Amino acid sequence: MTAIANVAISKKGLQRLRQGFVWIFRSDLDGKTDAEPGAIVKVIDRGNNFLAYAFYSQSELALRVLTREDRLPDRAFFGRRLDEAIARRARYFPKSRDAMRVVHGEADMLPGWLVDRFGDALVVQSMSLASDQREPMLIELLIERFKPRAVVFRDDGMTREYEGLDDRKGLAHGTDARAAFHEGEIAFEIDLLADQKTGAFLDQYENHLLAAEYAKGEALDLFCYHGGFGLQMAKRAARVTCVDQSELAVSRVKANAERNGLANVTGVAANAFDLLREHEQAARRFDTIVIDPPAFAKRKSAIEAAYRGYKDLNMRAMRCLEPGGILISCSCSAKMTRDLFEEMLIDASRDAKRRMLILERRGASRDHPGLAGVPETEYLKCFVLQAVD
Ligand code: SAH
């Protein structure tokens, strides 16, 4: 076995580590290192004292901390981390829940990895060279524990470009990438290789169920993907229109509506910005509107444009609400902080000249936990608002 390389960190890096940060950037390294990209390295201070083991990357995100215990992480270590992630979720999810995020990267102390379960199939997503290199090991550990029918790897997340990694995807186990799962009582079918993300937006699972409680009358689900919000709302609303620019997504909405015997759902393939503008100009009114756009602000520099984009969308949606109508407004941009998102909503309500109540301020489902003090692990906002009059 090759020797484990040392990586020394600066005082600032040490401070970040002590605060519980799990990422150390290149600017917080102290001097040069001969560490191989992708290797597990020993993180030390200037005095040569052991601090942690970490995955090393050649990118700006140099270190992803694995453990502060002075024992080299091996296969059994990763197996234990996986067992812990599974056990945490078993405490708050019923056995009957057949879809969940099993591993949420840094928050589960398995940096660079996401694992989603959909029924008897699993999807793994890797975000760094170190996690790419050990992906076969993770898949073996998952197969031992879940005995899945299929395992798909979807190494095509946004951050790979930043790490200088090419996208790749395929079936690692089994023969069929299609999967079936439920959110509450609604049944979904997905294709783990052809659909977006890892197949579904499980981070919104609990918000989807919540939308059903608020739904009424005419409902609009903008940026609907497979109808996660819309199909839940269809149980209570008179009619639901689900809108997405992806034809494939809209075809899934239609198939899912039929599968669940929901005859009051219409799927529309259209640009949601244009459609909302048209509704506003035509003075169309809705009792319930959901907005869940893709991340506008992936980088900090784009934040002002993103703010304007969100504000415009929310302002128009507010204008289209019936008195007493509900707006469920989401943002998955990590750069759009919770405070800024709320400020934007207030700003939008002023321009829309609608008095709005904030009923709920929510985030991602519990299987996508944020690590306290590490803002990078929290990204999803989901606010529920009501028009007063
Ligand atoms: N609401 C969904 C997740 C939405 S993800 C859920 O809860 O499951 C964002 C969606 O927006 C994607 O499906 C993407 O195809 C769609 N999209 C992106 N730009 C769009 C646009 N301009 N108009 C309509 N849909 C768009």
Side-chain angles (χ1 to χ4, degrees):
M1 206 181 93
T2 46
I4 304 296
N6 288 340
V7 177
I9 59 174
S10 67
K11 235 177 164 173
K12 192 160 149 251
L14 182 62
Q15 241 172 21
R16 281 176 64 85
L17 189 73
R18 291 225 168 104
Q19 281 165 12
F21 275 83
V22 285
W23 292 350
I24 294 173
F25 292 94
R26 187 154 299 281
S27 52
D28 292 333
L29 300 190
D30 191 43
K32 290 220 175 320
T33 170
D34 53 3
E36 285 278 325
I40 292 180
V41 297
K42 207 180 243 202
V43 184
I44 54 169
D45 65 12
R46 283 177 172 166
N48 229 0
N49 298 304
F50 171 85
L51 297 171
Y53 281 106
F55 281 155
Y56 178 72
S57 166
Q58 74 293 347
S59 76
E60 280 309 301
L61 206 174
L63 295 169
R64 294 172 194 246
V65 175
L66 289 164
T67 177
R68 291 162 75 173
E69 204 184 317
D70 193 359
R71 237 172 80 191
L72 184 65
D74 55 5
R75 189 179 192 278
F77 167 91
F78 290 106
R80 279 196 302 280
R81 282 281 161 88
L82 186 53
D83 288 336
E84 284 159 13
I86 295 167
R88 266 194 290 281
R89 287 155 177 79
R91 176 145 184 196
Y92 50 73
F93 283 151
K95 267 208 156 63
S96 57
R97 179 149 166 161
D98 65 4
M100 72 180 74
R101 174 149 294 180
V102 179
V103 170
H104 192 48
E106 279 66 0
D108 283 305
M109 297 294 283
L110 284 164
W113 276 315
L114 303 177
V115 181
D116 284 348
R117 178 186 154 208
F118 297 102
D120 55 7
L122 295 171
V123 184
V124 175
Q125 187 159 84
S126 163
M127 254 90 62
S128 75
L129 181 62
S131 48
D132 274 10
Q133 288 173 352
R134 293 162 187 81
E135 197 173 48
M137 176 197 69
L138 179 71
I139 290 173
E140 269 176 34
L141 293 168
L142 287 164
I143 291 173
E144 286 165 16
R145 284 156 180 81
F146 289 92
K147 315 262 178 309
R149 175 187 52 78
V151 183
V152 163
F153 56 96
R154 280 294 296 257
D155 301 332
D156 55 0
M158 290 180 325
T159 53
R160 288 180 69 86
E161 199 187 327
Y162 174 81
E163 292 285 330
L165 298 169
D166 290 336
D167 288 351
R168 55 184 202 182
K169 61 178 177 179
L171 256 174
H173 174 76
T175 53
D176 190 348
R178 284 172 304 175
F181 69 100
H182 296 81
E183 286 191 357
E185 287 167 7
I186 304 284
F188 290 89
E189 270 185 31
I190 51 175
D191 185 319
L192 301 175
L193 283 172
D195 290 331
Q196 294 183 40
K197 219 185 169 199
T198 58
F201 293 81
L202 285 177
D203 51 356
Q204 292 279 29
Y205 186 126
E206 286 161 33
N207 297 328
H208 290 160
L209 298 191
L210 181 88
E213 292 176 25
Y214 285 106
K216 194 188 134 190
E218 282 288 329
L220 185 61
D221 179 4
L222 295 177
F223 309 93
C224 65
Y225 190 52
H226 292 180
F229 282 105
L231 298 186
Q232 296 290 346
M233 294 199 293
K235 292 187 289 185
R236 299 279 288 271
R239 205 165 36 212
V240 184
T241 307
C242 295
V243 183
D244 201 286
Q245 72 177 9
S246 152
E247 301 265 357
L248 178 60
V250 173
S251 74
R252 296 258 196 266
V253 174
K254 290 178 181 166
N256 285 330
E258 206 175 299
R259 187 169 292 125
N260 291 280
L262 297 165
N264 57 344
V265 176
T266 311
V268 179
N271 183 321
F273 296 92
D274 296 345
L275 195 82
L276 189 59
R277 199 172 300 122
E278 285 165 27
H279 284 334
E280 187 202 345
Q281 279 158 8
R284 275 278 312 262
R285 292 288 176 266
F286 295 88
D287 300 284
T288 323
I289 301 180
V290 175
I291 325 178
D292 184 19
F296 294 158
K298 287 176 187 154
R299 288 174 205 283
K300 214 169 179 174
S301 56
I303 196 74
E304 267 176 45
Y307 184 97
R308 283 196 301 276
Y310 281 113
K311 185 182 155 189
D312 190 64
L313 207 50
N314 279 277
M315 180 190 71
R316 291 184 201 281
M318 287 171 188
R319 285 188 185 146
C320 288
L321 282 179
E322 288 283 6
I326 294 282
L327 172 65
I328 300 179
S329 181
C330 312
S331 159
C332 56
S333 296
K335 302 281 181 257
M336 188 83 182
T337 61
R338 194 160 278 275
D339 287 349
L340 194 59
F341 187 67
E342 184 159 339
E343 196 183 311
M344 176 280 297
L345 288 169
I346 296 166
D347 208 0
S349 71
R350 280 199 199 110
D351 283 11
K353 300 193 170 52
R354 296 299 297 262
R355 280 199 298 158
M356 303 295 296
L357 305 173
I358 298 179
L359 306 183
E360 301 202 38
R361 297 174 173 86
R362 298 167 59 98
S365 293
R366 291 168 290 176
D367 47 350
H368 297 60
L371 191 55
V374 188
E376 294 93 339
T377 57
E378 276 215 54
Y379 61 99
L380 189 68
K381 282 79 55 191
C382 175
F383 280 46
V384 182
L385 301 109
Q386 184 169 32
V388 175
D389 43 28

